PDB file of all heavy atoms in Angstrom:
ATOM      1  N   PHE A 322    -143.513 -60.503  -7.722  1.00 92.00           N
ATOM      2  CA  PHE A 322    -142.916 -59.352  -7.056  1.00 92.00           C
ATOM      3  C   PHE A 322    -142.376 -58.373  -8.100  1.00 92.00           C
ATOM      4  O   PHE A 322    -141.677 -58.765  -9.035  1.00 92.00           O
ATOM      5  CB  PHE A 322    -141.783 -59.799  -6.139  1.00 92.00           C
ATOM      6  CG  PHE A 322    -141.038 -58.652  -5.508  1.00 92.00           C
ATOM      7  CD1 PHE A 322    -141.638 -57.865  -4.538  1.00 92.00           C
ATOM      8  CD2 PHE A 322    -139.743 -58.352  -5.895  1.00 92.00           C
ATOM      9  CE1 PHE A 322    -140.960 -56.804  -3.959  1.00 92.00           C
ATOM     10  CE2 PHE A 322    -139.060 -57.295  -5.325  1.00 92.00           C
ATOM     11  CZ  PHE A 322    -139.664 -56.518  -4.356  1.00 92.00           C
ATOM     12  N   ASN A 323    -142.713 -57.095  -7.932  1.00 93.00           N
ATOM     13  CA  ASN A 323    -142.260 -56.081  -8.892  1.00 93.00           C
ATOM     14  C   ASN A 323    -141.895 -54.793  -8.155  1.00 93.00           C
ATOM     15  O   ASN A 323    -142.775 -54.083  -7.676  1.00 93.00           O
ATOM     16  CB  ASN A 323    -143.351 -55.792  -9.930  1.00 93.00           C
ATOM     17  CG  ASN A 323    -142.827 -54.969 -11.100  1.00 93.00           C
ATOM     18  OD1 ASN A 323    -141.696 -54.497 -11.081  1.00 93.00           O
ATOM     19  ND2 ASN A 323    -143.639 -54.811 -12.119  1.00 93.00           N
ATOM     20  N   PRO A 324    -140.590 -54.481  -8.062  1.00 91.00           N
ATOM     21  CA  PRO A 324    -140.174 -53.251  -7.388  1.00 91.00           C
ATOM     22  C   PRO A 324    -140.309 -52.020  -8.267  1.00 91.00           C
ATOM     23  O   PRO A 324    -140.015 -50.902  -7.823  1.00 91.00           O
ATOM     24  CB  PRO A 324    -138.704 -53.522  -7.066  1.00 91.00           C
ATOM     25  CG  PRO A 324    -138.250 -54.408  -8.189  1.00 91.00           C
ATOM     26  CD  PRO A 324    -139.442 -55.268  -8.524  1.00 91.00           C
ATOM     27  N   ASN A 325    -140.727 -52.208  -9.494  1.00 93.00           N
ATOM     28  CA  ASN A 325    -140.829 -51.101 -10.434  1.00 93.00           C
ATOM     29  C   ASN A 325    -142.275 -50.659 -10.608  1.00 93.00           C
ATOM     30  O   ASN A 325    -143.198 -51.299 -10.131  1.00 93.00           O
ATOM     31  CB  ASN A 325    -140.240 -51.499 -11.789  1.00 93.00           C
ATOM     32  CG  ASN A 325    -138.806 -51.968 -11.667  1.00 93.00           C
ATOM     33  OD1 ASN A 325    -138.093 -51.567 -10.755  1.00 93.00           O
ATOM     34  ND2 ASN A 325    -138.386 -52.830 -12.571  1.00 93.00           N
ATOM     35  N   GLY A 326    -142.477 -49.578 -11.328  1.00 92.00           N
ATOM     36  CA  GLY A 326    -143.810 -49.065 -11.599  1.00 92.00           C
ATOM     37  C   GLY A 326    -143.721 -47.732 -12.307  1.00 92.00           C
ATOM     38  O   GLY A 326    -142.626 -47.174 -12.480  1.00 92.00           O
ATOM     39  N   PRO A 327    -144.840 -47.173 -12.731  1.00 95.00           N
ATOM     40  CA  PRO A 327    -144.824 -45.855 -13.367  1.00 95.00           C
ATOM     41  C   PRO A 327    -144.284 -44.797 -12.411  1.00 95.00           C
ATOM     42  O   PRO A 327    -144.602 -44.801 -11.222  1.00 95.00           O
ATOM     43  CB  PRO A 327    -146.300 -45.609 -13.695  1.00 95.00           C
ATOM     44  CG  PRO A 327    -146.908 -46.972 -13.756  1.00 95.00           C
ATOM     45  CD  PRO A 327    -146.183 -47.774 -12.727  1.00 95.00           C
ATOM     46  N   ALA A 328    -143.461 -43.901 -12.934  1.00 97.00           N
ATOM     47  CA  ALA A 328    -142.865 -42.861 -12.093  1.00 97.00           C
ATOM     48  C   ALA A 328    -142.727 -41.567 -12.877  1.00 97.00           C
ATOM     49  O   ALA A 328    -142.609 -41.571 -14.103  1.00 97.00           O
ATOM     50  CB  ALA A 328    -141.500 -43.310 -11.581  1.00 97.00           C
ATOM     51  N   ARG A 329    -142.734 -40.459 -12.142  1.00 98.00           N
ATOM     52  CA  ARG A 329    -142.569 -39.134 -12.736  1.00 98.00           C
ATOM     53  C   ARG A 329    -141.086 -38.761 -12.817  1.00 98.00           C
ATOM     54  O   ARG A 329    -140.314 -39.000 -11.879  1.00 98.00           O
ATOM     55  CB  ARG A 329    -143.264 -38.073 -11.879  1.00 98.00           C
ATOM     56  CG  ARG A 329    -144.773 -38.142 -11.787  1.00 98.00           C
ATOM     57  CD  ARG A 329    -145.228 -37.153 -10.710  1.00 98.00           C
ATOM     58  NE  ARG A 329    -146.670 -36.969 -10.656  1.00 98.00           N
ATOM     59  CZ  ARG A 329    -147.492 -37.694  -9.915  1.00 98.00           C
ATOM     60  NH1 ARG A 329    -147.009 -38.687  -9.193  1.00 98.00           N
ATOM     61  NH2 ARG A 329    -148.785 -37.440  -9.891  1.00 98.00           N
ATOM     62  N   PHE A 330    -140.735 -38.126 -13.912  1.00 98.00           N
ATOM     63  CA  PHE A 330    -139.426 -37.516 -14.097  1.00 98.00           C
ATOM     64  C   PHE A 330    -139.653 -36.090 -14.584  1.00 98.00           C
ATOM     65  O   PHE A 330    -140.768 -35.738 -14.974  1.00 98.00           O
ATOM     66  CB  PHE A 330    -138.590 -38.305 -15.098  1.00 98.00           C
ATOM     67  CG  PHE A 330    -138.224 -39.691 -14.627  1.00 98.00           C
ATOM     68  CD1 PHE A 330    -139.161 -40.716 -14.660  1.00 98.00           C
ATOM     69  CD2 PHE A 330    -136.964 -39.964 -14.134  1.00 98.00           C
ATOM     70  CE1 PHE A 330    -138.839 -41.992 -14.204  1.00 98.00           C
ATOM     71  CE2 PHE A 330    -136.628 -41.240 -13.678  1.00 98.00           C
ATOM     72  CZ  PHE A 330    -137.572 -42.247 -13.714  1.00 98.00           C
ATOM     73  N   ALA A 331    -138.610 -35.269 -14.571  1.00 98.00           N
ATOM     74  CA  ALA A 331    -138.771 -33.874 -14.980  1.00 98.00           C
ATOM     75  C   ALA A 331    -137.668 -33.483 -15.959  1.00 98.00           C
ATOM     76  O   ALA A 331    -136.509 -33.907 -15.822  1.00 98.00           O
ATOM     77  CB  ALA A 331    -138.759 -32.953 -13.767  1.00 98.00           C
ATOM     78  N   TYR A 332    -138.052 -32.666 -16.918  1.00 98.00           N
ATOM     79  CA  TYR A 332    -137.155 -32.291 -18.010  1.00 98.00           C
ATOM     80  C   TYR A 332    -136.085 -31.312 -17.527  1.00 98.00           C
ATOM     81  O   TYR A 332    -136.393 -30.268 -16.943  1.00 98.00           O
ATOM     82  CB  TYR A 332    -137.966 -31.677 -19.144  1.00 98.00           C
ATOM     83  CG  TYR A 332    -137.203 -31.458 -20.429  1.00 98.00           C
ATOM     84  CD1 TYR A 332    -136.298 -32.402 -20.898  1.00 98.00           C
ATOM     85  CD2 TYR A 332    -137.396 -30.301 -21.178  1.00 98.00           C
ATOM     86  CE1 TYR A 332    -135.621 -32.216 -22.088  1.00 98.00           C
ATOM     87  CE2 TYR A 332    -136.722 -30.101 -22.377  1.00 98.00           C
ATOM     88  CZ  TYR A 332    -135.832 -31.061 -22.813  1.00 98.00           C
ATOM     89  OH  TYR A 332    -135.145 -30.854 -23.998  1.00 98.00           O
ATOM     90  N   LYS A 333    -134.850 -31.655 -17.792  1.00 97.00           N
ATOM     91  CA  LYS A 333    -133.717 -30.870 -17.321  1.00 97.00           C
ATOM     92  C   LYS A 333    -133.720 -29.447 -17.868  1.00 97.00           C
ATOM     93  O   LYS A 333    -133.275 -28.509 -17.200  1.00 97.00           O
ATOM     94  CB  LYS A 333    -132.421 -31.583 -17.716  1.00 97.00           C
ATOM     95  CG  LYS A 333    -131.158 -31.028 -17.116  1.00 97.00           C
ATOM     96  CD  LYS A 333    -129.981 -31.921 -17.486  1.00 97.00           C
ATOM     97  CE  LYS A 333    -128.707 -31.494 -16.789  1.00 97.00           C
ATOM     98  NZ  LYS A 333    -127.585 -32.423 -17.106  1.00 97.00           N
ATOM     99  N   ASN A 334    -134.228 -29.268 -19.084  1.00 97.00           N
ATOM    100  CA  ASN A 334    -134.209 -27.952 -19.725  1.00 97.00           C
ATOM    101  C   ASN A 334    -135.500 -27.167 -19.522  1.00 97.00           C
ATOM    102  O   ASN A 334    -135.733 -26.169 -20.209  1.00 97.00           O
ATOM    103  CB  ASN A 334    -133.919 -28.104 -21.221  1.00 97.00           C
ATOM    104  CG  ASN A 334    -132.537 -28.676 -21.480  1.00 97.00           C
ATOM    105  OD1 ASN A 334    -131.590 -28.373 -20.759  1.00 97.00           O
ATOM    106  ND2 ASN A 334    -132.411 -29.519 -22.494  1.00 97.00           N
ATOM    107  N   SER A 335    -136.337 -27.617 -18.596  1.00 97.00           N
ATOM    108  CA  SER A 335    -137.546 -26.871 -18.289  1.00 97.00           C
ATOM    109  C   SER A 335    -137.193 -25.487 -17.746  1.00 97.00           C
ATOM    110  O   SER A 335    -136.188 -25.308 -17.049  1.00 97.00           O
ATOM    111  CB  SER A 335    -138.384 -27.628 -17.260  1.00 97.00           C
ATOM    112  OG  SER A 335    -139.437 -26.832 -16.762  1.00 97.00           O
ATOM    113  N   LYS A 336    -138.041 -24.512 -18.030  1.00 96.00           N
ATOM    114  CA  LYS A 336    -137.855 -23.159 -17.502  1.00 96.00           C
ATOM    115  C   LYS A 336    -138.289 -23.071 -16.042  1.00 96.00           C
ATOM    116  O   LYS A 336    -138.032 -22.059 -15.379  1.00 96.00           O
ATOM    117  CB  LYS A 336    -138.678 -22.156 -18.325  1.00 96.00           C
ATOM    118  CG  LYS A 336    -138.237 -22.009 -19.771  1.00 96.00           C
ATOM    119  CD  LYS A 336    -139.017 -20.905 -20.465  1.00 96.00           C
ATOM    120  CE  LYS A 336    -140.489 -21.237 -20.584  1.00 96.00           C
ATOM    121  NZ  LYS A 336    -141.240 -20.179 -21.315  1.00 96.00           N
ATOM    122  N   TYR A 337    -138.940 -24.127 -15.555  1.00 97.00           N
ATOM    123  CA  TYR A 337    -139.580 -24.033 -14.246  1.00 97.00           C
ATOM    124  C   TYR A 337    -139.082 -25.108 -13.279  1.00 97.00           C
ATOM    125  O   TYR A 337    -139.863 -25.826 -12.660  1.00 97.00           O
ATOM    126  CB  TYR A 337    -141.091 -24.154 -14.412  1.00 97.00           C
ATOM    127  CG  TYR A 337    -141.671 -23.202 -15.420  1.00 97.00           C
ATOM    128  CD1 TYR A 337    -142.374 -23.677 -16.525  1.00 97.00           C
ATOM    129  CD2 TYR A 337    -141.504 -21.831 -15.283  1.00 97.00           C
ATOM    130  CE1 TYR A 337    -142.909 -22.793 -17.459  1.00 97.00           C
ATOM    131  CE2 TYR A 337    -142.032 -20.945 -16.214  1.00 97.00           C
ATOM    132  CZ  TYR A 337    -142.732 -21.435 -17.303  1.00 97.00           C
ATOM    133  OH  TYR A 337    -143.251 -20.564 -18.216  1.00 97.00           O
ATOM    134  N   VAL A 338    -137.793 -25.202 -13.123  1.00 97.00           N
ATOM    135  CA  VAL A 338    -137.213 -26.228 -12.261  1.00 97.00           C
ATOM    136  C   VAL A 338    -137.686 -26.065 -10.817  1.00 97.00           C
ATOM    137  O   VAL A 338    -138.086 -27.033 -10.165  1.00 97.00           O
ATOM    138  CB  VAL A 338    -135.672 -26.192 -12.329  1.00 97.00           C
ATOM    139  CG1 VAL A 338    -135.076 -27.161 -11.303  1.00 97.00           C
ATOM    140  CG2 VAL A 338    -135.200 -26.545 -13.731  1.00 97.00           C
ATOM    141  N   ASP A 339    -137.655 -24.858 -10.303  1.00 97.00           N
ATOM    142  CA  ASP A 339    -138.074 -24.623  -8.917  1.00 97.00           C
ATOM    143  C   ASP A 339    -139.540 -24.970  -8.712  1.00 97.00           C
ATOM    144  O   ASP A 339    -139.927 -25.531  -7.671  1.00 97.00           O
ATOM    145  CB  ASP A 339    -137.826 -23.167  -8.520  1.00 97.00           C
ATOM    146  CG  ASP A 339    -136.348 -22.839  -8.382  1.00 97.00           C
ATOM    147  OD1 ASP A 339    -135.551 -23.788  -8.221  1.00 97.00           O
ATOM    148  OD2 ASP A 339    -135.987 -21.651  -8.453  1.00 97.00           O
TER     149      ASP A 339
END
Side-chain angles (χ1 to χ4, degrees):
F322 175 70
N323 192 353
N325 304 333
R329 294 171 171 90
F330 294 77
Y332 190 41
K333 190 174 186 177
N334 296 324
S335 169
K336 295 185 295 182
Y337 308 121
V338 174
D339 290 340

